[in-house]
Amino acid sequence: MATEITMPKLGLTMKVGRIGKWLKKEGDPVKKGEAIAEVLTDKIANVLEAAAEGVLLKIAAPVGTQLPVGGLMGYIGAAGETVPDAAGAAPAIETTSPATAAAAPKPAPGAGGKKPRATPVARKLAEQHGIDLSRLAGTGPNGSIVREDVERALAQGLPEETSPAPGEPDAFEVMPYAGIRQVIGENMLRSWLEIPKVDHHASVDMTELLAARRAINEDLPESERVSVTDLLVMLTARALEMKRIFNALMEPDGIKIYRHVHMGIAIALENGLVVPVVRNANKKRLREISAEIKDLAARARENRLTEADFTGGTFTLTNLGGYRSTEHFTPIINPPQAAILGVGRTRDVPVAVDGEVRIRPMMALSLSHDHRIVDGAPAAEFLGILMRMIEAPSRALY
């Protein structure tokens, strides 16, 4: 008997998910535990593993379909096995986000300006997903394109574009706006459109913090050494205890100011960005924070983070200093949080110290905050508190 593939529940609060990508085509052999699809939530892109071994008999939900938890995605079974009609399955949820509405291209007319022959259902489905019907081969009466042809194209990918004419350069390649890239894009667009953001920039002397890091790491094995990010997470959490309005979320029922600091850490991956959370960062010792960040980063690279790892963040820190190129920048707030701290590169510069010019390692900081929640003067005060901790870290670290 065929095994149903259903929309998984990836977190306690998850109610719906979207099909980001099918990693197998209908008819492909499937092993139990093998990745077969990519599922998107409003926070992450997660790989769905097969619960049974056999053949991918049917894809019931094409790419882009949004389903409730438990909704039917497809079937795995023995080759040639018949599967039930998907008509009785949980219905797909019709949604259009601002990002997808803006990005979805309209189908181009067919050759000679004539529209390809297609059923109304197939034409509507193609329009919803930006499919050019002129690139599909119809299997319906008189070669017309039917719904199954469009669903097959969504599941398997469109045929290759026609090769350029002789002498015409192949000017570009298309990166699909899907998966984790789409999750990031939709969240950032929401932030940009909804939040009146203010940015504060400063440079801070890293002399004492770097000396403290060297002392801490002196007798530690390489795998346990703390990073600048680890130190900044701990100090920022302490600063947020002193200025709690920045450890807040803008919720429908009001501004919620939290006592515990659940610090989101931006981690860059090859195909995007994830922000897992170090919970209760203000209550943890430095080596606990360091070990947790290492674990989150390792699992992020292996695509083993769960939705629970992303849930509940109250403040975010993003550090680009390791690239040694970016100084001050304007990070985008992770809604519904009140603020985000961006960290740029550290470089040796001449500064005035006690009336003399000295060469000091100066690090760039960029604090972005939601002006609905907090005003500019408290933001400048919070940044000043953090800078004093960085320049004299001994009390906060020990």
Side-chain angles (χ1 to χ4, degrees), residues 188-378:
M188 293 301 96
L189 179 60
R190 173 190 165 199
S191 177
W192 189 262
L193 293 175
E194 294 181 2
I195 297 177
K197 183 170 74 83
V198 178
D199 304 303
H200 295 247
H201 304 295
S203 294
V204 60
D205 191 335
M206 290 286 285
T207 301
E208 295 299 324
L209 192 67
L210 293 177
R213 179 180 178 235
R214 286 193 296 271
I216 292 167
N217 287 338
E218 187 174 7
D219 297 322
L220 293 178
E222 182 72 29
S223 61
E224 296 180 20
R225 291 180 182 175
V226 302
S227 68
V228 169
T229 296
D230 301 335
L231 291 162
L232 291 176
V233 167
M234 185 173 187
L235 294 180
T236 303
R238 300 292 189 271
L240 287 167
E241 286 184 313
M242 301 173 66
K243 206 69 178 172
R244 286 175 45 222
I245 187 61
F246 286 90
N247 194 48
L249 305 181
M250 174 65 85
E251 301 283 13
D253 56 343
I255 299 168
K256 295 182 180 177
I257 303 171
Y258 286 80
R259 294 182 178 85
H260 296 291
V261 178
H262 302 319
M263 185 79 70
I265 311 297
I267 297 175
L269 305 177
E270 185 177 349
N271 62 336
L273 179 76
V274 294
V275 188
V277 177
V278 176
R279 301 185 188 285
N280 301 304
N282 56 321
K283 303 299 181 184
K284 290 179 177 175
R285 299 173 65 86
L286 178 60
R287 291 182 67 175
E288 289 180 276
I289 291 172
S290 179
E292 194 164 337
I293 292 175
K294 288 180 175 68
D295 173 66
L296 290 170
R299 289 194 288 123
R301 288 190 291 269
E302 296 166 3
N303 199 27
R304 291 192 296 110
L305 293 173
T306 68
E307 182 157 330
D309 292 315
F310 296 90
T311 303
T314 57
F315 188 92
T316 295
L317 185 145
T318 176
N319 188 353
L320 298 180
Y323 295 98
R324 300 183 182 278
S325 57
T326 300
E327 291 186 38
H328 299 288
F329 61 106
T330 55
I332 297 178
I333 297 167
N334 190 11
Q337 295 174 14
I340 183 172
L341 180 68
V343 180
R345 69 173 178 168
T346 298
R347 64 190 186 102
D348 291 338
V349 298
V351 296
V353 179
D354 298 329
E356 297 182 1
V357 176
R358 306 273 182 86
I359 303 298
R360 291 293 179 93
M362 303 297 291
M363 183 177 69
L365 295 177
S366 300
L367 175 69
S368 299
H369 66 92
D370 185 339
H371 213 314
R372 297 173 301 175
I373 299 175
V374 65
D375 299 323

Side-chain angles (χ1 to χ4, degrees), residues 60-101:
V63 171
T65 303
Q66 187 161 302
L67 294 170
V69 170
L72 180 65
M73 295 172 57
Y75 291 95
I76 295 173
E81 185 177 355
T82 59
V83 296
D85 190 345
I93 300 169
E94 297 291 338
T95 60
T96 305
S97 69
T100 53

Side-chain angles (χ1 to χ4, degrees), residues 166-178:
E168 180 183 339
D170 188 359
F172 61 88
E173 61 179 287
V174 176
M175 181 183 77
Y177 184 59

